Amino acid sequence: MNANVFFLCLLPPIILDAGYFLPIRPFMENLGTILMFAVVGTLWNAFFIGGLLYAVCQIQPANPSDLHLIGLLPCLLFGSIISAVDPVAVLAVFEEIHINELLHILVFGESLLNDAVTVVLYHLFEEFAGVGTVTLMECFLGFISFLVVALGGVLVGAIYGILAAFTSRFTSHTRVIEPLFVFVYSYMAYLSSEMFHLSGIMALISCGAVMRPYVEANISHKSHTTIKYFLKMWSSVSETLIFIFLGVATVDGPHSWNWTFVTVTVILCLVARVIGVVGLTFFMNKFRIVKLTTKDQFIIAYGGLRGAIAFALGFLLDKEHFPMREMFLTAIITVIFFTVFVQGMTIKPLVDLLAVKKKQEAKRSINEEIHTQFLDHLLTGIEDICGHYGHHHWKDKLNRFNKKYVKKCLIAGERAKEPQLIAFYHKMEMKQAIELVESGGGAKLPSAVPSTVSMQNIQPKKPLPKTAERALPQLPKGREEEIRKILRSNLQKTRQRLHSYNRHTLVVDPYEDGVTNFIKKQKMIQLEKKIKEMNKYLTVPSAAPDSPTMCRARLASGRDTDYKPDQQQKENNLCSDPQAYNVKLDSGKVPTIQVDLASPQSPDSVNVMDEFIKADAGDEDSGLMMKPPRKPGEEDGARDQQKLTRCLSDPGPSADEDEDEPFLP
C-alpha cells in the first residue's frame, strides 16, 4: 500500500457512505460540541503530545541517543499525525457495539470534521520543518489556511451536491444511470478539493449530505436501493483492504523500534485524550441542555481510535527531511494496533458493565414524525414570541427558503410541492408495501385502488378512474369561497411582526374577571397623582428687603391707634391685594409682616393646604399668628423670621399656564 492508493481509491467510498447516510438532525443539534472536539480537541492533542515528546527526547543529554536528533518541529508534526481520531476505525467499532445515537454522532462527527485540522497542521509543520524557522506572520497565515481548507472543502462539496441533485431531475427516462451520477459527482468533489489542497473529506461529507434529500425525491426506488447497497459494499471492501494493507505493512515494512519513544507515545495519546475530553465537556456542559455524564465522557475518551489515515500521512513523509521516518511509522502502527484492538475489543464489555444507554432499534412512525414537527413549530413560535433568534428560528427560516425556492429548482414534478409529512408517509407506505410483498402477504391485500405515489417506479402509471381522483365531496364554489373568507378573517397571520415579550405592553381584556376593579384602582391612582401635583405651590428665592416684592408684601392696617387685630382682620389683611397698600406709616405703631420667600427645598417652607388642615383640626382661635419683627440680637430671630416663607395671596401656577414661563415679580 502507498499513500496514493489509500487516499484516491480506498478512503473516498468510506467517507461518502458516512456522509450520504449521515443523520442530519442529531448532527446539526450537536454541531457545536462536535466542532469543539474536532478543532480545539485536535489542536490540544497535537501540541500536548508533540511538546511532551520533545521534552522526553531531550532527557539525559549526557548520554546521546537517536532521540536527541529529533527537533521540536518534527515532534509537533508527529503529534499532528497521531492526534486525529480516524473515521474508519470508529465506524468499524461503534457500529458493532450499537451505542446510543448521541455518543455515536459525537465521536463519529469528530472523526469526520478533524480532517481539516489534521491536513492543515500536517502541511504546516512539514513546511516549517523544511524551512527551519517560524515567524508570527506564518502562524497567522496558518490559521487563515485552516479556515480556507475547511470552508473551501465544504463549499466545493455543496456545489457538486447541488449539481448532482439538478442532474437527477432530468433522468426520469433513463433510470439506469441515476446511481452513476451520484458516485461521479461525489468523486469529482473529492478530486477537486484534493487538487486545490482543500479538505477532501469535508467535500465528500457536504456533497453527500446536500444531494441526498433532493436526489432521493427524483430517482426511482430501484436506483435508491442500488446506491444504498453499493455504497455499503464498497465501504466495507475498502475497510477490509485498509486493515489488510496495515497488517502487510506491519510484517513487511522496515521498522526502527525504540522502547522509550513508542511507550511514551501510547501513554501521551491516552492522557491527552482524557484531559481534552474532560476539560472540553466541563466547558460545553454549561451550554448544553442534555448534559454529558461521566459515563459518556469515558466512552468518548475511550473511543478515540486511530487508524489508517495516520499511517498514510506518516507514509507520505520524506526520508531526506525526516530521517526518523521509520521510527515514526513504527510508533504510529503501535498506537493504531493498541487503540483498535485493545480499546476496540474492550469497549463493548465496558459499555455493558457501565450500563451505558444503547441504540433503540425502533422503527420511525407517523406519530413520532408528527410530534417531532409539532415540537419544532412550537419551539420556533416560542422563540418568535420572546424575540430570541435561536437555532430553531434559523432552522425554520432555512426550511422556508428551501421549500419556496430550492425544491422548485432541484426536484421534478409534484414532489417539489409535497409537504414533509406527506413525503415521509409515502416513504413509509412504500416500505411497508415492499415488506408485505416480500413476506408473501400480497394475496391478503385489499382490492382497493393503490395510490399512484406509493406504487410509482414499481409498475407503469395507469390513469385512475375519475371517481377516484378526489376523495372529498364536491363543494359548491359559493360555499367554498365562504369558508375561505371565514378562515382568512379569523385565523391569525403569524410572523408578520416579531414583538418582544414585555409584561408592560400586554393589552388588558376588559371582559376578564376582576379587570374592572383593576381599572378603577388605576384611575384612582392617577387622580391622586393629579391632586398631589395641584398641592404644589409656587415658591421663589428670598428677595432683598427694599425690593418691590417685599414692599408689596408689607400690609398696612391704616389705623393710627393701637392695633389689636382679630381673626377677621387677619384674614382681610392676608387676602387683600398686595398692590393696594397705603402710605407708609410709622413702623413703631403698626405691626408688619415680613415675608421671606424661600426655595421649595427649604425645610422652613410652608404648604398652605397643610396649614388649613392644621387649623381645622385645632381650636377655632388657633391659626397663623402675626408677630412683630424681633430684634436682631435674639437667638431665634432669624429662624422665626423664616416661618412664613410664602406669599399667601399667590395661589401658584394654574394648570393651563406653561410651566416653562419665567416668574416675573
Side-chain angles (χ1 to χ4, degrees):
M1 185 181 74
N2 56 40
N4 290 329
V5 172
F6 173 76
F7 281 111
L8 297 180
C9 300
L10 299 179
L11 185 61
I14 301 173
I15 305 302
L16 178 60
D17 174 55
Y20 191 82
F21 297 102
L22 183 69
I24 297 296
R25 185 182 181 90
F27 181 79
M28 296 304 296
E29 288 177 352
N30 299 280
L31 183 60
T33 308
I34 293 172
L35 286 176
M36 286 290 292
F37 284 135
V39 178
V40 182
T42 305
L43 289 174
W44 158 257
N45 288 344
F47 285 99
F48 182 82
I49 295 173
L52 288 184
L53 266 179
Y54 176 73
V56 170
C57 291
Q58 302 305 316
I59 295 177
Q60 293 181 350
N63 298 325
S65 62
D66 294 338
L67 297 180
H68 291 88
L69 302 176
I70 304 176
L72 177 61
L73 289 176
C75 284
L76 291 176
L77 175 64
F78 177 76
S80 66
I81 292 174
I82 204 65
S83 62
V85 179
D86 189 74
V88 181
V90 169
L91 273 177
V93 173
F94 272 66
E95 285 187 353
E96 293 296 325
I97 62 177
H98 301 289
I99 200 70
N100 65 79
E101 195 173 38
L102 174 62
L103 295 181
H104 183 269
I105 200 64
L106 286 180
V107 180
F108 180 58
E110 176 194 357
S111 67
L112 291 177
L113 299 187
N114 64 10
D115 171 70
V117 184
T118 305
V119 169
V120 170
L121 289 178
Y122 176 79
H123 290 297
L124 203 63
F125 289 130
E126 189 179 22
E127 294 292 333
F128 289 164
V131 174
T133 58
V134 182
T135 62
L136 185 62
M137 187 63 184
E138 290 174 343
C139 294
F140 176 73
L141 293 177
F143 174 74
I144 299 298
S145 66
F146 160 70
L147 297 178
V148 172
V149 167
L151 299 180
V154 172
L155 183 62
V156 169
I159 291 174
Y160 277 100
I162 293 174
L163 287 176
F166 187 74
T167 307
S168 66
R169 181 177 179 179
F170 307 100
T171 57
S172 58
H173 57 287
T174 51
R175 297 292 188 186
V176 179
I177 63 173
E178 286 176 341
L180 187 62
F181 281 113
V182 174
F183 303 139
V184 168
Y185 277 113
S186 302
Y187 197 59
M188 286 176 63
Y190 181 79
L191 291 180
S192 301
S193 299
E194 291 293 331
M195 184 173 61
F196 292 106
H197 292 283
L198 302 176
S199 176
I201 292 180
M202 300 284 284
L204 271 178
I205 294 168
S206 60
C207 181
V210 167
M211 76 163 68
R212 185 189 178 188
Y214 308 109
V215 167
E216 288 192 351
N218 291 325
I219 64 177
S220 65
H221 181 72
K222 291 182 179 179
S223 300
H224 169 70
T225 306
T226 303
I227 293 172
K228 178 181 177 181
Y229 287 104
F230 187 77
L231 275 181
K232 294 294 183 185
M233 179 203 69
W234 200 7
S235 63
S236 299
V237 170
S238 296
E239 286 179 11
T240 305
L241 289 177
I242 285 173
F243 284 103
I244 288 176
F245 279 130
L246 272 177
V248 172
T250 304
V251 176
D252 186 48
H255 298 289
S256 175
W257 185 267
N258 189 299
W259 277 101
T260 304
F261 190 83
V262 172
T263 308
V264 170
T265 301
V266 174
I267 295 174
L268 287 180
C269 285
L270 296 176
V271 173
R273 178 70 179 174
V274 171
I275 296 176
V277 169
V278 172
L280 290 176
T281 307
F282 175 76
F283 175 74
M284 291 303 298
N285 273 344
K286 297 181 179 180
F287 305 97
R288 288 182 58 88
I289 298 176
V290 180
K291 311 294 182 184
L292 294 176
T293 63
T294 307
K295 295 179 181 179
D296 297 337
Q297 297 175 38
F298 175 78
I299 297 299
I300 294 173
Y302 204 75
L305 309 177
R306 274 66 170 181
I309 291 182
F311 177 78
L313 290 176
F315 197 83
L316 284 174
L317 293 177
D318 191 2
K319 180 74 173 177
E320 297 180 0
H321 295 93
F322 300 97
M324 309 303 293
R325 172 177 175 270
E326 295 179 356
M327 187 172 67
F328 285 173
L329 283 177
T330 303
I332 290 172
I333 291 176
T334 306
V335 171
I336 291 173
F337 279 22
F338 179 82
T339 56
V340 171
F341 288 101
V342 177
Q343 294 180 214
M345 292 175 64
T346 57
I347 191 172
K348 188 171 184 179
L350 287 174
V351 167
D352 296 334
L353 180 64
L354 296 175
V356 180
K357 182 180 177 183
K358 291 190 176 182
K359 186 178 180 180
Q360 302 293 331
E361 297 292 341
K363 296 181 180 179
R364 294 184 63 187
S365 61
I366 295 293
N367 190 15
E368 181 184 352
E369 185 71 17
I370 289 174
H371 282 79
T372 302
Q373 293 191 23
F374 167 73
L375 288 176
D376 288 342
H377 288 297
L378 180 63
L379 292 174
T380 305
I382 292 174
E383 287 184 356
D384 286 352
I385 292 173
C386 298
H388 171 69
Y389 297 139
H391 68 278
H392 290 95
H393 172 81
W394 296 113
K395 179 183 175 182
D396 184 72
K397 289 286 186 184
L398 187 62
N399 287 336
R400 288 172 178 270
F401 178 79
N402 179 37
K403 182 179 179 181
K404 191 174 183 179
Y405 301 105
V406 181
K407 276 189 173 182
K408 294 180 180 179
C409 300
L410 301 182
I411 298 180
E414 296 296 326
R415 298 291 295 273
K417 303 177 182 178
E418 197 172 54
Q420 182 181 356
L421 189 62
I422 303 300
F424 179 76
Y425 171 74
H426 288 155
K427 187 186 298 185
M428 297 290 295
E429 188 183 21
M430 167 72 77
K431 189 175 181 180
Q432 187 178 4
I434 293 175
E435 290 177 355
L436 192 61
V437 171
E438 289 177 352
S439 62
K444 301 178 182 179
L445 289 173
S447 59
V449 180
S451 65
T452 55
V453 181
S454 62
M455 299 300 292
Q456 67 176 355
N457 308 323
I458 294 181
Q459 61 184 16
K461 295 183 179 179
K462 297 180 181 179
L464 295 176
K466 293 184 178 180
T467 57
E469 289 182 359
R470 186 161 182 165
L472 296 176
Q474 283 283 356
L475 290 175
K477 286 189 175 181
R479 179 62 177 166
E480 188 174 348
E481 190 63 30
E482 183 180 353
I483 293 174
R484 290 180 182 274
K485 186 176 180 181
I486 293 173
L487 294 176
R488 197 181 302 117
S489 59
N490 293 325
L491 287 180
Q492 181 184 7
K493 296 180 180 179
T494 59
R495 228 177 290 278
Q496 288 185 351
R497 290 187 64 186
L498 297 177
H499 296 283
S500 297
Y501 170 75
N502 191 347
R503 62 186 178 88
H504 301 291
T505 58
L506 292 179
V507 180
V508 180
D509 187 5
Y511 301 102
E512 191 176 353
D513 295 338
V515 174
T516 307
N517 296 332
F518 175 75
I519 295 175
K520 288 181 179 179
K521 290 181 180 179
Q522 293 294 327
K523 289 182 178 180
M524 290 298 295
I525 292 173
Q526 294 177 2
L527 185 60
E528 289 177 0
K529 288 182 179 179
K530 289 183 179 179
I531 293 174
K532 288 181 180 180
E533 291 176 359
M534 292 174 62
N535 288 337
K536 296 178 181 178
Y537 283 83
L538 179 64
T539 58
V540 294
S542 175
D546 296 332
S547 64
T549 305
M550 295 302 298
C551 292
R552 293 171 188 172
R554 294 189 180 94
L555 304 178
S557 63
R559 294 184 181 179
D560 295 336
T561 58
D562 293 338
Y563 183 70
K564 295 181 179 179
D566 57 359
Q567 186 70 21
Q568 185 64 31
Q569 287 173 339
K570 282 191 253 183
E571 294 178 1
N572 291 336
N573 290 335
L574 292 175
C575 299
S576 62
D577 189 0
Q579 294 183 357
Y581 55 90
N582 297 331
V583 183
K584 186 175 181 181
L585 299 178
D586 188 7
S587 59
K589 296 181 180 180
V590 181
T592 60
I593 300 176
Q594 291 184 358
V595 180
D596 188 8
L597 301 179
S599 62
Q601 291 82 9
S602 175
D604 298 327
S605 59
V606 179
N607 194 330
V608 177
M609 297 298 294
D610 295 341
E611 295 296 331
F612 286 161
I613 293 172
K614 291 178 181 178
D616 293 338
D619 298 332
E620 294 182 358
D621 294 335
S622 63
L624 296 177
M625 300 299 294
M626 292 186 296
K627 297 181 180 181
R630 302 199 177 192
K631 295 180 181 181
E634 297 181 2
E635 295 181 358
D636 57 342
R639 184 171 183 83
D640 293 338
Q641 193 174 355
Q642 295 179 358
K643 286 298 184 181
L644 297 178
T645 58
R646 235 175 258 281
C647 183
L648 302 179
S649 62
D650 187 3
S654 63
D656 299 331
E657 290 179 356
D658 190 3
E659 294 181 358
D660 297 332
E661 185 177 353
F663 174 75
L664 298 177

